[in-house]
Amino acid sequence: MVGGMVGAISTGADMMICRYHSDGIFDHSFDQDGKLNLSFDGNEVNVCYDLSLQSDGKIVVAGVTGENLKLDFAHARINAGGVLDEDYGINGKVVTDFNGGGNSNDLAFSVSLGKNNSVYLCGRSWDEKGSTNNFAVVRYEGNSTSGILRNSSKSLFHLYPNPCRDYFEIQLSALLGPIE
């Protein structure tokens, strides 16, 4: 499986998910041609940054959707055959806006799966002035339509080393409880 985008951000881009056989040939059992284009409600920018395979064969893709200078976390769940899972989110898709509109940008770069099909997205969020850039983690429950169960601000994280330069390690505070 490979995820990315097709098109150009300046003129319109869709998420692109491809599934291949081990010999490098497209798997035609996935969306009939091995390729799935995915957009969120006609938004001009839709980019897949990560994907993960659930134990039941469903695929969770994560990235961004939006227009121009206003991007939001976006993820979708796709059945093994390359069709959106209608039982997940709204028609298989979930969009999360941390800053409530305006020209803010919320970018999901990574997806991880937890117990009971919970989904964790990790990325960054900054306000419309571009003055506050925050680390963002969101947990979505199994078939959640709204998604956010836990939206953690910087104060719940301990960074090591601090200050950091090339890398850092995140240790979640006891306030969050166990990650499952």
Side-chain angles (χ1 to χ4, degrees), residues 45-112:
V45 177
N46 302 279
V47 181
C48 173
Y49 286 113
D50 196 15
L51 52 87
S52 192
L53 185 63
Q54 290 183 179
S55 60
D56 61 2
K58 293 179 181 177
I59 304 140
V60 177
V61 299
V64 300
T65 187
E67 304 288 333
N68 205 1
L69 295 174
K70 195 225 177 289
L71 300 173
D72 296 320
F73 271 37
H75 77 281
R77 190 163 73 185
I78 303 162
N79 290 320
V83 177
L84 284 167
D85 181 355
E86 299 290 328
D87 294 329
Y88 187 78
I90 299 171
N91 298 320
K93 304 172 192 175
V94 178
V95 176
T96 303
D97 179 1
F98 287 102
N99 294 301
N103 291 326
S104 63
N105 281 297
D106 307 317
L107 309 172
F109 293 119
S110 177
V111 60
S112 293

Side-chain angles (χ1 to χ4, degrees), residues 101-160:
N103 291 326
S104 63
N105 281 297
D106 307 317
L107 309 172
F109 293 119
S110 177
V111 60
S112 293
L113 303 174
K115 293 180 182 176
N116 301 319
N117 293 327
S118 56
V119 174
Y120 296 86
L121 298 185
C122 179
R124 68 181 181 188
S125 175
W126 68 86
D127 64 16
E128 62 185 86
K129 297 174 189 170
S131 59
T132 305
N133 192 2
N134 293 306
F135 180 81
V137 176
V138 185
R139 175 182 166 186
Y140 303 87
E141 195 62 35
N143 290 333
S144 179
T145 55
S146 62
I148 300 177
L149 287 183
R150 299 181 187 214
N151 176 6
S152 303
S153 67
K154 294 188 299 186
S155 63
L156 297 177
F157 292 99
H158 301 283
L159 296 180
Y160 178 81

